[in-house]
Amino acid sequence: RPRVLSGMQPSADSLHLGNYLGALVNWVKAQDNFEAFFFIPDMHAITVPQDPVELRKRTRVTAAQYIAGGINLEKSTLFVQSQVPEHAQLAWVLNCLTGFGEASRMTQFKDKSSKGGADVSSVGLFTYPVLMAADILLYQPQGVPVGDDQRQHVELARDLANRFNHRFGETFVVPEAFIQKEGARIYDLQNPTSKMSKSASSPNGLINILDDPKIVAKRIKSAVTDADTVVAHDRANKPGVTNLLEILSAVSGTPIPTLVNEFEGKMYGHLKVAVADAVVEALTPVRTRTLELLEDPAELDSILAAGAQKAREVASKTLADVYERVGFMAPL
Ligand code: ATP
Ligand code: MG
């Protein structure tokens, strides 16, 4: 079976609806057709300051949410990045193959550093896409299922794989980004021209998997809509209503044109009630199962330790090849 790999940062108390619809739902589908590696990139999380106690807690919560959302431990390998040291080791080699200008063109750094400016941003944030390339290339996957916002980073991983292969001989599979078309991007409920984000959205703009269902419903009902009252799918002119239609379509499986017909001539309130009901119905089982898993952190930790062992079987082979190619002594 072809391989895929993907991960989500443990940078918040819960994953949000964008992570769920844009990533997790696709992963669950992918594990039937692919040999899948799903990881928790805690090393990426510390590219911006994190509280140590919170980080470890969030790492466990994220793992629990992967499992609760349907990642099957029989089919897929689930692990925490920092427990597989090959990620850091390969990242260093790739850092030395990445141009400074090339790294400077990554838009996520521009977005995330713009708040404080480059002076207060860490070098880790700057080189984040290179670590991400290492995450991917270690496992030799054919595909990387990600949301639309990660397209540029997968492109860098492809460039680095090609560059390494040219300079040192065939070593890496050159992976493709698998971008889901519908529901690929969920927007902030309060600011529907920006994507829903763990780090950038205000609480009212977010729907978290672990939110109380009443809060989920309340946030959807107070979502920003648009000046007129026409239900239409129009990203440029009606971003708020468009986001609600896309959310409803993604959670219910109903095509957008069908929804537009259904809500034609009705008030926005009707649409919001339907979206709230559908989202609560989709998220409740995931929330309940996550909370159950978190009741036994020792069991969760041993699941993650076993996952890291499995991941290292693959990662250590790739790293040994890389060390041989670049002229290092064999990794011990
Ligand atoms: P941060 O703000 O810390 O970057 P994030 O909310 O962007 O967090 P990531 O951990 O960067 O989440 O991304 C995890 C996965 O979720 C990626 O595959 C990403 O493409 C996807 N994703 C993130 N936000 C959205 C969104 N609003 N809509 C759809 N997919 C999303
Ligand atoms: Mg992000």
Side-chain angles (χ1 to χ4, degrees):
R1 283 186 301 164
R3 269 189 197 149
V4 294
L5 168 127
S6 208
M8 286 191 266
Q9 287 192 50
S11 50
D13 292 335
S14 173
L15 298 177
H16 56 70
L17 187 67
N19 300 140
Y20 181 68
L21 295 175
L24 194 49
V25 166
N26 293 339
W27 298 0
V28 171
K29 287 186 205 141
Q31 60 186 351
D32 291 326
N33 304 315
F34 297 92
E35 184 188 353
F37 292 81
F38 298 116
F39 74 113
I40 295 137
D42 55 345
M43 291 163 66
H44 285 280
I46 66 162
T47 57
V48 297
Q50 301 290 341
D51 177 88
V53 173
E54 287 298 304
L55 178 61
R56 197 171 298 114
K57 190 172 127 205
R58 289 167 168 185
T59 298
R60 291 194 181 104
V61 172
T62 307
Q65 291 186 323
Y66 284 10
I67 299 169
I71 298 306
N72 182 330
L73 300 167
E74 310 276 298
K75 294 182 190 163
S76 301
T77 305
L78 166 65
F79 66 95
V80 176
Q81 184 183 30
S82 60
Q83 290 189 316
V84 180
E86 287 80 3
H87 289 248
Q89 292 172 293
L90 179 60
W92 180 255
V93 174
L94 297 179
N95 268 317
C96 298
L97 284 182
T98 307
F100 194 83
E102 185 177 33
S104 308
R105 285 191 290 277
M106 296 292 129
T107 55
Q108 179 176 277
F109 178 74
K110 291 180 195 160
D111 295 346
K112 287 200 174 177
S113 65
S114 60
K115 290 169 225 155
D119 284 350
V120 299
S121 299
S122 71
V123 174
L125 184 63
F126 183 72
T127 193
Y128 173 119
V130 181
L131 177 59
M132 179 165 158
D135 300 335
I136 297 168
L137 298 180
L138 272 177
Y139 299 92
Q140 310 281 6
Q142 281 74 17
V144 191
V146 288
D148 185 45
D149 60 311
Q150 296 298 317
R151 193 188 289 273
Q152 195 187 29
H153 292 161
V154 178
E155 202 52 47
L156 179 71
R158 290 170 56 83
D159 290 345
L160 289 172
N162 279 316
R163 192 171 306 157
F164 190 100
N165 289 347
H166 272 106
R167 196 169 302 176
F168 299 105
E170 280 308 305
T171 305
F172 293 119
V173 169
V174 181
E176 268 177 58
F178 290 170
I179 313 264
Q180 184 205 15
K181 283 181 199 74
E182 259 163 59
R185 196 176 267 239
I186 304 298
Y187 290 82
D188 187 310
L189 296 176
Q190 289 301 314
N191 188 5
T193 53
S194 302
K195 82 171 191 88
M196 189 177 283
S197 150
K198 290 194 230 90
S199 56
S201 293
S202 70
N204 287 338
L206 269 174
I207 296 170
N208 284 319
I209 292 179
L210 290 186
D211 284 337
D212 185 280
K214 286 195 202 80
I215 296 199
V216 171
K218 197 172 136 214
R219 290 201 181 143
I220 292 171
K221 286 171 192 165
S222 25
V224 165
T225 39
D226 311 284
D228 62 46
T229 57
V230 184
V231 173
H233 187 265
D234 178 350
R235 163 80 39 220
N237 299 308
K238 305 180 72 69
V241 171
T242 298
N243 191 33
L244 292 176
L245 285 168
E246 288 187 356
I247 290 172
L248 182 52
S249 174
V251 293
S252 68
T254 312
I256 300 223
T258 310
L259 294 174
V260 171
N261 278 337
E262 195 180 322
F263 289 97
E264 201 190 328
K266 293 192 180 145
M267 312 249 276
Y268 289 154
H270 289 95
L271 174 63
K272 287 179 170 176
V273 168
V275 176
D277 289 349
V279 169
V280 166
E281 193 184 310
L283 293 187
T284 296
V286 185
R287 174 174 181 261
T288 308
R289 182 77 185 115
T290 302
L291 295 174
E292 273 169 23
L293 288 162
L294 289 171
E295 276 169 23
D296 192 350
E299 169 64 14
L300 198 54
D301 289 2
S302 78
I303 289 172
L304 293 173
Q309 288 295 340
K310 253 173 89 185
R312 289 196 76 184
E313 283 169 24
V314 178
S316 63
K317 284 207 188 78
T318 306
L319 189 75
D321 279 355
V322 167
Y323 272 32
E324 162 70 25
R325 298 266 190 202
V326 302
F328 285 173
M329 306 297 280
L332 294 174

